[in-house]
Amino acid sequence: MGRDNAFTASDVLVVAFAFALFALIRRLSRPEKGPLPPGPPGLPLLGNTFDIPKEQAWVAFRDLSSKYGDVVALNALGQTIVIVSSVEAAVDLLDKRSAIYSDRQASVLADMIGWTWNLAFKRYGDDWRRVRRLFWHHFQPNAVGQYRAVQQRDVRDLLRRLLEGPTDLDGEMKLTLTKTILTAVHGLPKEAVTSRYVDILTASEAGIAEAFSPGAFLVEFCPWLRHVPGWLPGTGWQRKVREWQGQSDAIREEPFRAAKEAMRRGEAEPSMLTDLLEKSREGELDEDAIKETTAVAFGAGTDTTAATLHAFVLAMILHPSVQQRAQAELAAIVGPERLPEHADRAALPYVDAMVKELLRWHNVAPLGVAHRCMREDEYRGWRIPESAIVMPNAWAILHDPETFPDPDEFRPERFLKDGRPNTDVLDPGSVAFGFGRRICPGQHFAEDALFIAIASLLHVFDFGRALDEHGRPIPVEVKMTSGFLSYVEDYKYSIRPRSAAAETLIRGEAVPA
Ligand code: HEM
């Protein structure tokens, strides 16, 4: 809202004070049963609002946990936020007590934009349960094997595009995952999946980042503002909401429409959608549930996985010895005459450990997705109030030097012992994908997608630093963007096929004996 100058900073402060005062009076009028978890002292009314930075909040929260412990309570204008920075506390609360920690915070803006169709934002209840069950049925460990052929097909197409010349690596990763998901989930033939779908997602991510930037929109604090007519001064923000509505609708409707069109022409591939439509013919499902279930795979699965892969190439540039070790393993196990397949995974412990290390090293959701406590609870003698927001600081857990020495280093061997997987080390997948009943249902699909992409890329390409006009390597550094999802900032890279035989493999031709 500040962005279109619709409201001044003093408007925001007045409303914030009113909101905080209301929360304070409400709290004082209720007897309290125990202390909140420890945390920094807050200002009168405003609480800890200034302890919550907009940039890289996970780093500031980690610093708070070093001082106050693994469970820290903050008060933002009367709203309790509990930051959890250990696996033990995250599992105790979000997993073992998931019956009361599986809700999401209501958002007026999400409701206005129409994002409430999205499983990740749905409140805990029957509607969430219905879509989640349908989704899980198609993405549980025993089901994801059916998507491997499509994942492999699209990664091999990616290799070909990368061989053809310099390209936008980030965009290519996104296009690859978009093709995979829209084929596997919607049944779209790969030719029908153009960069138009990538653009839809990119626009909607920017919208989500802006809409959910804390404190940016007064309507979150004053829900009545949504009813103010759009012709009144100061309502420019409603234009933005309409734009975001369009993006949310596009994610939900466009692939679905295209898929139905492809079915009509007899060009659709077997997919989750064809399966769900079959069930709907038997009268078990309505069209909205089908659209929501398929659209959330596109909305939640594409960018998260593509962003993780984009971070992978950066890790390879920064850690050439890791790249070489993985390539040696691939050369020994897969050999020069073929490209890797999912079935090779068990025989490639180092590459498998790279998937773990990647999920640890770059957290696309550094603070997970916040859960909401549905009923007042007690934990280690502290009171967790009803409606408290509980955020697992996945980044802090996965960068804790006690668990992962030199956490900024990309070191897959930390997950190996005598060359075999070391089950004594915390599996980053058990943190990066969240907790409890809301745990990411796309985890197994994502891990498969990451494995086949990493193995295939390293089998045929060398990644390194790009050179400047004087032939000097251009420095790269790891910078994480802030926001609901975090990406590594763009970087310069060089890519070249490892050998003539590798080029032949990429082109899909037989390697001469
Ligand atoms: C590297 C890739 C990915 C990461 C790191 C990731 C991470 C997460 C996290 C942290 C959550 C929140 C869990 C919680 O509330 O505790 C989540 C939720 C979700 N993810 Fe993923 N995800 C990834 C890929 C995928 C994929 C490939 C799909 C689908 C094909 C997917 C679908 C979803 C859905 C539908 C939810 C919402 C679940 C709910 O609220 O019930 N994700 N993901």
Side-chain angles (χ1 to χ4, degrees):
M1 206 169 297
R3 290 174 182 81
D4 63 4
N5 296 323
F7 290 93
T8 63
S10 60
D11 290 334
V12 177
L13 271 182
V14 168
V15 178
F17 265 104
F19 187 76
L21 191 61
F22 172 70
L24 185 74
I25 293 168
R26 214 173 47 166
R27 216 173 59 198
L28 291 178
S29 62
R30 256 196 334 244
E32 296 195 345
K33 290 185 196 123
L36 291 172
L43 294 169
L45 301 179
L46 288 175
N48 303 108
T49 309
F50 297 118
D51 292 312
I52 306 174
K54 282 196 175 170
E55 301 293 316
Q56 315 250 330
W58 48 92
V59 178
F61 292 161
R62 187 268 319 268
D63 295 344
L64 286 177
S65 79
S66 306
K67 191 162 175 195
Y68 295 100
D70 61 341
V71 183
V72 171
L74 298 172
N75 166 354
L77 301 174
Q79 168 68 57
T80 305
I81 301 175
V82 177
I83 314 289
V84 174
S85 306
S86 71
V87 176
E88 183 196 337
V91 169
D92 282 349
L93 296 174
L94 305 180
D95 196 354
K96 294 187 183 156
R97 302 183 190 183
S98 62
I100 59 165
Y101 282 95
S102 295
D103 199 8
R104 300 276 195 228
Q105 176 81 342
S107 155
V108 182
L109 262 185
D111 193 37
M112 289 180 76
I113 295 168
W115 266 119
T116 40
W117 64 258
N118 186 324
L119 182 65
F121 296 142
K122 274 191 197 295
R123 305 295 304 270
Y124 185 65
D126 286 343
D127 186 31
W128 168 79
R129 215 169 274 117
R130 184 178 65 134
V131 177
R132 172 103 193 176
R133 206 174 287 137
L134 289 177
F135 195 93
W136 182 242
H137 181 73
H138 292 86
F139 280 88
Q140 44 141 323
N142 291 335
V144 291
Q146 63 185 308
Y147 308 127
R148 289 185 184 142
V150 178
Q151 287 175 340
Q152 185 179 298
R153 176 199 78 182
D154 292 332
V155 162
R156 291 182 180 188
D157 284 348
L158 169 70
L159 302 181
R160 277 189 281 277
R161 293 200 300 277
L162 293 177
L163 183 66
E164 275 157 22
T167 166
D168 160 23
L169 187 64
D170 189 26
E172 290 300 342
M173 301 289 193
K174 281 187 181 165
L175 183 61
T176 303
L177 265 300
T178 304
K179 280 181 185 283
T180 300
I181 288 194
L182 291 187
T183 301
V185 172
H186 290 78
L188 285 182
K190 69 176 176 181
E191 298 73 25
V193 185
T194 61
S195 56
R196 153 97 190 124
Y197 291 101
V198 176
D199 296 342
I200 293 176
L201 272 186
T202 308
S204 111
E205 280 146 29
I208 289 181
E210 186 175 349
F212 300 122
S213 163
F217 286 85
L218 272 184
V219 71
E220 285 292 15
F221 302 103
C222 310
W224 52 266
L225 278 175
R226 69 187 293 176
H227 304 298
V228 173
W231 48 265
L232 281 178
T235 51
W237 61 276
Q238 293 186 1
R239 256 198 326 274
K240 288 193 170 185
V241 169
R242 279 193 294 278
E243 192 186 312
W244 296 331
Q245 268 166 355
Q247 292 162 357
S248 164
D249 287 350
I251 290 184
R252 200 169 89 124
E253 304 293 334
E254 285 201 24
F256 187 78
R257 241 189 340 256
K260 284 205 129 177
E261 192 50 33
M263 279 176 203
R264 204 182 47 75
R265 290 198 303 266
E267 292 168 2
E269 306 204 8
S271 65
M272 175 175 173
L273 180 61
T274 39
D275 191 43
L276 292 174
L277 287 173
E278 188 61 37
K279 285 202 172 73
S280 83
R281 271 190 283 279
E282 291 157 16
E284 288 174 39
L285 284 175
D286 59 83
E287 190 165 288
D288 275 350
I290 296 175
K291 261 189 216 165
E292 288 177 5
T293 312
T294 47
V296 75
F298 173 44
T302 306
D303 204 36
T304 41
T305 315
T308 308
L309 267 184
H310 190 223
F312 160 72
V313 173
L314 177 59
M316 291 306 92
I317 296 172
L318 289 167
H319 298 88
S321 61
V322 171
Q323 176 169 211
Q324 284 154 12
R325 190 164 162 189
Q327 287 167 334
E329 183 178 73
L330 285 158
I333 303 297
V334 178
E337 284 165 18
R338 66 178 180 91
L339 287 165
E341 294 168 6
H342 288 89
D344 296 317
R345 189 164 174 181
L348 294 167
Y350 194 77
V351 177
D352 187 47
M354 285 173 101
V355 176
K356 291 194 173 77
E357 179 66 342
L358 182 57
L359 289 166
R360 186 200 68 77
W361 189 73
H362 178 69
N363 312 121
V364 70
L367 290 169
V369 180
H371 292 221
R372 175 182 169 276
C373 173
M374 295 150 69
R375 209 176 58 221
E376 183 165 295
D377 190 23
E378 194 193 308
Y379 181 59
R380 298 185 195 158
W382 301 312
R383 186 174 58 88
I384 313 281
E386 178 184 333
S387 296
I389 293 173
V390 183
M391 284 188 187
N393 192 346
W395 178 85
I397 297 172
L398 295 173
H399 287 78
D400 179 352
E402 299 262 315
T403 322
F404 301 108
D406 300 321
D408 295 335
E409 297 288 307
F410 191 90
R411 204 184 278 167
E413 45 274 33
R414 60 175 99 239
F415 298 104
L416 297 175
K417 192 173 173 187
D418 305 326
R420 308 299 317 153
N422 183 357
T423 47
D424 293 339
V425 182
L426 175 69
D427 181 352
S430 67
V431 175
F433 292 100
F435 298 90
R437 295 182 194 188
R438 303 295 298 230
I439 194 171
C440 174
Q443 172 174 2
H444 309 288
F445 177 94
E447 289 183 345
D448 271 355
L450 292 174
F451 167 78
I452 197 65
I454 289 175
S456 306
L457 286 165
L458 290 185
H459 196 48
V460 291
F461 285 117
D462 283 324
F463 294 95
R465 286 173 203 232
L467 302 180
D468 66 14
E469 65 271 28
H470 306 293
R472 288 182 303 236
I474 299 175
V476 285
E477 50 177 327
V478 187
K479 281 199 194 141
M480 283 175 81
T481 63
S482 295
F484 176 59
L485 292 183
S486 179
Y487 309 86
V488 292
E489 280 184 10
D490 221 359
Y491 52 85
K492 299 263 184 274
Y493 67 97
S494 78
I495 175 171
R496 54 187 173 79
R498 303 201 60 218
S499 61
E503 277 193 47
T504 311
L505 271 185
I506 297 169
R507 293 206 174 90
E509 296 155 9
V511 178

